[in-house]
Amino acid sequence: MAKIGSFFYIAERDAKLANSAYNIKEYTGCGQLCEQSVEKSLKAYISEFGSEADLLALSAHNPRRLYEKCCELGFEKFDKDTAFEMAKLADYYRETRYPGDNYFELTETEARDALKIMNYINNKVKDNLDNIKKTNIF
């Protein structure tokens, strides 16, 4: 379990809420929470491995940009399909939160895909963080 109030703790909490939203057929809310979870998960990686200059990325809110910063810090690169799906999460947050010409609501399939990519990325970050903890134990 992650430290209360840490980026990964919030990522895990948002992931649980995303699953709950999906289960009650609130697909747009599910997508929004998936984006938030991935954002916080990637920020957990940056906060663990980044230098003081890298920590400026923690104010960013675009999962794709956060992912790119993680890659600069040694995170494994995903295939193009995974990177594309992750980029869609930004739309699932921005374009569903505010009224305007770009507003849309997620379908069940889109929400299911958002859960899938969220779980995939969060598990990869968790594995990296867990491996660091194991190697730093004396």
Side-chain angles (χ1 to χ4, degrees), residues 32 53 102 107 126 135 137:
Q32 293 165 353
N102 294 333
T107 65
K126 185 178 185 323
T135 59
I137 295 175

Side-chain angles (χ1 to χ4, degrees), residues 7-127:
F7 280 114
F8 205 78
Y9 173 84
I10 296 168
E12 289 178 326
R13 186 190 65 204
D14 287 345
K16 288 178 189 174
L17 292 170
N19 281 295
S20 294
Y22 181 84
N23 290 335
I24 64 167
K25 301 182 184 328
E26 179 46 63
Y27 302 127
T28 300
C30 172
Q32 293 165 353
L33 288 159
C34 287
E35 187 280 340
Q36 287 291 290
S37 181
V38 167
E39 180 183 322
K40 300 307 183 296
S41 180
L42 294 170
K43 287 180 178 184
Y45 187 90
I46 294 167
S47 68
E48 183 69 31
F49 298 106
S51 67
E52 199 167 312
D54 294 321
L55 298 181
L56 293 173
L58 298 179
S59 63
H61 299 287
N62 184 315
R64 178 72 178 155
R65 291 188 206 276
L66 291 166
Y67 162 69
E68 289 168 358
K69 175 54 75 179
C70 289
C71 289
E72 290 173 20
L73 298 171
F75 197 77
E76 70 180 90
K77 291 186 174 29
F78 295 131
D79 60 63
K80 288 181 182 179
D81 290 337
T82 302
F84 176 73
E85 289 300 314
M86 186 172 29
K88 287 194 312 189
L89 288 176
D91 290 338
Y92 290 173
Y93 186 79
R94 280 191 309 273
E95 307 304 337
T96 63
R97 298 281 300 169
Y98 302 100
D101 293 339
N102 294 333
Y103 180 83
F104 69 94
E105 295 198 0
L106 271 65
T107 65
E108 180 178 3
T109 300
E110 290 168 327
R112 190 176 326 114
D113 291 346
L115 285 169
K116 182 178 175 185
I117 195 69
M118 175 195 71
N119 288 323
Y120 180 75
I121 293 166
N122 288 357
N123 286 334
K124 289 289 185 185
V125 171
K126 185 178 185 323
D127 289 347

